[in-house]
Amino acid sequence: QVQLVDSGGGSVQAGGSLRLSCASSGYTTSSACMAWFRQAPGKEREGVASISTAASYYATSVKGRFTISRDNAKNTVYLEMNSLKPEDTAMYYCAAALLVSCGSAWYYAPNYNYWGQGTQVTVSS
């Protein structure tokens, strides 16, 4: 049984940093497409970043501020978030796809088969 556990969220002031973690069990993250999505109240879920053996992708709004990475030995994917802004406030979800490569449609939520429970990030001005 595949399980993704998100953690690392919290409340920070604008300009601060957080690192989210996604620990996987029953699923090998090292050769699969993994991603982070977020959803703010009243808004649709949006792709933040994805990683696979081929490439990493980022949403325009976070490029240069967020970094996705993974530790294959720990079967864990991370999202390092720097220079946080109030508009980054959302519930963040880890996702895994039964694909080797994320591809150009990495931000399309239905492509992902497994989801974490989410971790809240709140950025105050």
Side-chain angles (χ1 to χ4, degrees), residues 30-107:
S30 61
S31 59
C33 170
M34 303 290 296
W36 286 96
F37 284 75
R38 66 185 181 186
Q39 187 167 19
K43 294 187 177 181
E44 293 187 356
R45 190 169 296 193
E46 64 171 345
V48 176
S50 72
I51 186 169
S52 68
T53 55
S56 297
Y57 296 93
Y58 295 91
T60 302
S61 59
V62 307
K63 195 171 292 184
R65 299 188 298 121
F66 292 10
T67 302
I68 189 170
S69 63
R70 59 186 169 193
D71 184 330
N72 294 334
K74 296 182 178 179
N75 227 21
T76 300
V77 175
Y78 303 98
L79 185 68
E80 186 76 35
M81 305 186 295
N82 298 314
S83 302
L84 283 162
K85 304 176 181 179
E87 50 263 44
D88 294 319
T89 295
M91 185 72 79
Y92 283 70
Y93 299 90
C94 174
L98 295 174
L99 298 168
V100 174
S101 177
C102 299
S104 58
W106 66 271
Y107 52 85

